[in-house]
Structure formats: structure tokens, C-alpha cells
Amino acid sequence: MVTIDKLNSFGADTAEGIARCCGSEALYIRLIKMIPNEKNFDNLEKALNENDLDKAFEAAHALKGVTGNLSLTPMFEKCCEMTELLRSRTQMDYESMLAELLGMRDRITDMLY
């Protein structure tokens, strides 16, 4: 079961995230539970596999917003890094960055059970 303590151990700024949810811890947790099903993880992976940097940028930018609003700091920082590289259409191997981001998503998923 996901808890504030587990999210803090992950590196989330839960106080900030809860504040963004008008002080509702229940709403914050409900939104955190949506992370594993966030379609932009799949969109990002697909776009990178197809070397479509425009679509990859859109997905990374959307994930930056989601993770930033939830104050999932480690994920937000990785999304920021990827977004800026993709914004400038940097041709590179994004595999390790994607793997790190998906690994963090999996850590959040594991917290739910």
C-alpha cells in the first residue's frame, strides 16, 4: 500500500504535492495511484523506439507536468532532462534515460501493493 512515508523515501516532496491538492492527502494518494496507467510512458517509449522526437517531446513534456504537479521529484528531474534534450531534437540513445524513468514508474507501482 502506498504511504506518504514510502513516497518520501522515493524522493517525493509530499508536503508540496499535498498542498497542490488543496491539502487533501486522499486526493494526492488517488492521483499517485494513476501513475502506473499514465499513457504518456507508453507514448514516450513508442516514440523513442520509432525515433519520432516530436512525439517523444510531447510525451516527455506531459510527463514532466504530471510528475511536477505531484512533486515526484526524481521522476520530474528525469523528465526535465529528457524534455530539454528532446526540445532541441538531440539525436542520441535515450534507452538508459527511458529505462531509468520506467524503473521509477515501476517503483511507484510496487508501492501500490
Side-chain angles (χ1 to χ4, degrees):
M1 171 184 243
V2 68
T3 64
I4 297 301
D5 287 339
K6 286 181 184 179
L7 290 166
N8 286 334
S9 293
F10 173 77
D13 184 343
T14 56
E16 182 178 294
I18 292 168
R20 288 184 182 178
C21 292
C22 300
S24 174
E25 184 177 317
L27 175 59
Y28 181 68
I29 295 294
R30 188 170 42 226
L31 293 172
I32 292 292
K33 289 179 178 180
M34 297 172 80
I35 288 291
N37 297 317
E38 170 55 53
K39 65 180 171 131
N40 281 300
F41 287 108
D42 293 335
N43 293 347
L44 177 60
E45 184 172 22
K46 182 176 188 273
L48 289 174
N49 287 336
E50 294 173 355
N51 200 34
D52 186 337
L53 299 185
D54 291 329
K55 286 186 180 174
F57 168 75
E58 290 174 17
H61 192 265
L63 288 170
K64 177 182 164 185
V66 169
T67 59
N69 283 325
L70 294 174
S71 300
L72 296 171
T73 307
M75 294 177 88
F76 174 70
E77 290 171 352
K78 185 56 60 182
C79 289
C80 286
E81 182 182 358
M82 292 183 79
T83 296
E84 291 312 308
L85 288 167
L86 290 163
R87 182 187 313 276
S88 63
R89 305 306 185 258
T90 303
Q91 291 287 335
M92 61 176 277
D93 184 357
Y94 288 92
E95 187 175 332
S96 65
M97 294 176 78
L98 178 64
E100 189 176 346
L101 183 61
L102 295 178
M104 287 186 265
R105 179 200 56 191
D106 294 345
R107 285 181 58 200
I108 296 287
T109 302
D110 291 345
M111 287 181 210
L112 301 179
Y113 305 104

